[in-house]
Amino acid sequence: MSDARVNAVERFYDFHPINARQILDAVAARGIGPDAITEDVLQQHDQDHYGGTAATDRLIAEAAVRADDLVLDVCSGMGGPARYLAWKTGCDVTGLDLTASRVEGATELTRVAGLSGSVRFVHGDALAMPFGDASFTLAMAQESFAHIPDKPRLLAECARVLRPAGRLVYSDILHRGNLSDRDAQRLFDGMAFSDIATQDGYAQQLRSCGMEVVRLVDLTEEWTRILVERHAMYRSLESQTVARLGREHFERYDRAYAHFVGLYQGGVLAGALIHAARPG
């Protein structure tokens, strides 16, 4: 990534409303002490992606995750899906994230949940992954690739670190071909979405790096509903966000999210779960 785009994504997630402190505060508000926190408890608060654990269950089913899988969670954020995946299937998960504060928060939450033996997090760039060739059997991501420019390089890195017959299963924000330059710039300025792909663009780029598209599931209608609900949820955190980051930050994020949701409601943005695989 260029420095400007790296800085934009890091800054966006350094100041995101959902963070380790907010998650642990939500758990404490339920009367659950630190020694009583388990993955069963944590998963009700740490799934910072569209659809929560149900969406991760769909990814698990689509990828046919096994206990002997070595999984890479690309752009792992606060680590909710990585922890849930290991807890539910017994597999080993490595999370990779660009933002150091997210890696630190995810590591702390994983320690608290007692899953450090099977889940760990690495600070690094998805365009230059700090892993050897053929290190994983499955790579996954949820709504994160839209933050990353240079999709051919990103997908080539995913393919490189996968073993033969390895799977890449990810959900992402897409556009239908009618995204204006003005709206694209607003999405970058407000949400740090630096490169929103199309369904056809992804299919072509996956084939170009030697991967086969196994299946694509359209999630647009479901996500439009979820995003309206998430916007209301972020607004419900107004007092905490203002206390931590200030009124100006809250209002700026609220305007950006309202624009983002509006593009879904207007039929400009879409969403899909994409399953691709390396040849065996």
Side-chain angles (χ1 to χ4, degrees), residues 125-204:
D125 187 343
L127 295 177
M129 296 185 185
F131 309 114
D133 295 355
S135 294
F136 303 96
T137 60
L138 168 65
M140 58 174 271
Q142 292 176 284
E143 296 90 74
S144 58
F145 284 2
H147 289 299
I148 306 174
D150 198 348
K151 293 295 192 293
R153 183 175 168 189
L154 168 64
L155 296 175
E157 276 293 274
C158 290
R160 179 185 67 79
V161 300
L162 286 173
R163 295 179 180 178
R167 301 95 76 205
L168 169 62
V169 181
Y170 65 101
S171 54
D172 201 25
I173 297 152
L174 308 175
H175 73 87
R176 299 178 182 274
N178 58 340
L179 179 65
S180 70
D181 290 345
R182 180 175 180 273
D183 280 331
Q185 186 62 50
R186 284 189 66 184
L187 287 168
F188 176 68
D189 291 342
M191 305 287 291
F193 292 136
S194 59
D195 181 13
I196 299 177
T198 64
Q199 176 180 318
D200 290 344
Y202 264 140
Q204 179 180 347

Side-chain angles (χ1 to χ4, degrees), residues 103-146:
V103 172
E104 293 165 5
T107 300
E108 173 62 12
L109 291 171
T110 302
R111 184 193 65 77
V112 169
L115 288 169
S116 299
S118 55
V119 186
R120 85 271 328 143
F121 298 92
V122 176
H123 182 217
D125 187 343
L127 295 177
M129 296 185 185
F131 309 114
D133 295 355
S135 294
F136 303 96
T137 60
L138 168 65
M140 58 174 271
Q142 292 176 284
E143 296 90 74
S144 58
F145 284 2

Side-chain angles (χ1 to χ4, degrees), residues 39-269:
E39 171 57 21
D40 240 342
V41 170
L42 212 52
Q43 66 191 237
Q44 299 177 50
H45 304 278
D46 66 358
Q47 302 293 310
D48 186 26
H49 58 275
Y50 310 153
T53 55
T56 306
D57 283 333
R58 177 164 48 200
L59 188 151
I60 289 170
E62 180 64 38
V65 180
R66 305 178 304 268
D68 62 351
D69 269 317
L70 301 174
V71 182
L72 172 64
D73 184 0
V74 184
C75 307
S76 48
M78 297 312 304
R83 285 186 293 274
Y84 183 80
L85 201 68
W87 172 80
K88 185 150 191 180
T89 71
C91 68
D92 185 274
V93 188
T94 298
L96 175 69
D97 203 87
L98 179 68
T99 305
S101 63
R102 306 297 268 184
V103 172
E104 293 165 5
T107 300
E108 173 62 12
L109 291 171
T110 302
R111 184 193 65 77
V112 169
L115 288 169
S116 299
S118 55
V119 186
R120 85 271 328 143
F121 298 92
V122 176
H123 182 217
D125 187 343
L127 295 177
M129 296 185 185
F131 309 114
D133 295 355
S135 294
F136 303 96
T137 60
L138 168 65
M140 58 174 271
Q142 292 176 284
E143 296 90 74
S144 58
F145 284 2
H147 289 299
I148 306 174
D150 198 348
K151 293 295 192 293
R153 183 175 168 189
L154 168 64
L155 296 175
E157 276 293 274
C158 290
R160 179 185 67 79
V161 300
L162 286 173
R163 295 179 180 178
R167 301 95 76 205
L168 169 62
V169 181
Y170 65 101
S171 54
D172 201 25
I173 297 152
L174 308 175
H175 73 87
R176 299 178 182 274
N178 58 340
L179 179 65
S180 70
D181 290 345
R182 180 175 180 273
D183 280 331
Q185 186 62 50
R186 284 189 66 184
L187 287 168
F188 176 68
D189 291 342
M191 305 287 291
F193 292 136
S194 59
D195 181 13
I196 299 177
T198 64
Q199 176 180 318
D200 290 344
Y202 264 140
Q204 179 180 347
Q205 290 156 3
L206 286 163
R207 287 193 293 268
S208 294
C209 62
M211 300 192 76
E212 171 194 359
V213 178
V214 177
R215 189 172 10 261
L216 187 146
V217 180
D218 191 324
L219 302 175
T220 308
E221 183 177 347
E222 176 184 331
W223 279 9
T224 302
R225 173 183 55 78
I226 288 171
L227 286 168
V228 171
E229 294 170 355
R230 284 175 69 91
H231 191 201
M233 181 271 290
Y234 286 139
R235 283 180 166 170
S236 76
L237 298 174
E238 178 177 355
S239 60
Q240 297 99 308
T241 304
V242 170
R244 188 168 66 93
L245 302 171
R247 168 64 57 186
E248 181 182 353
H249 176 88
F250 171 80
E251 292 182 351
R252 185 170 60 248
Y253 187 83
D254 185 64
R255 287 192 301 271
Y257 212 89
H259 172 247
F260 176 50
V261 174
L263 292 177
Y264 269 92
Q265 294 173 315
V268 175
L269 294 181

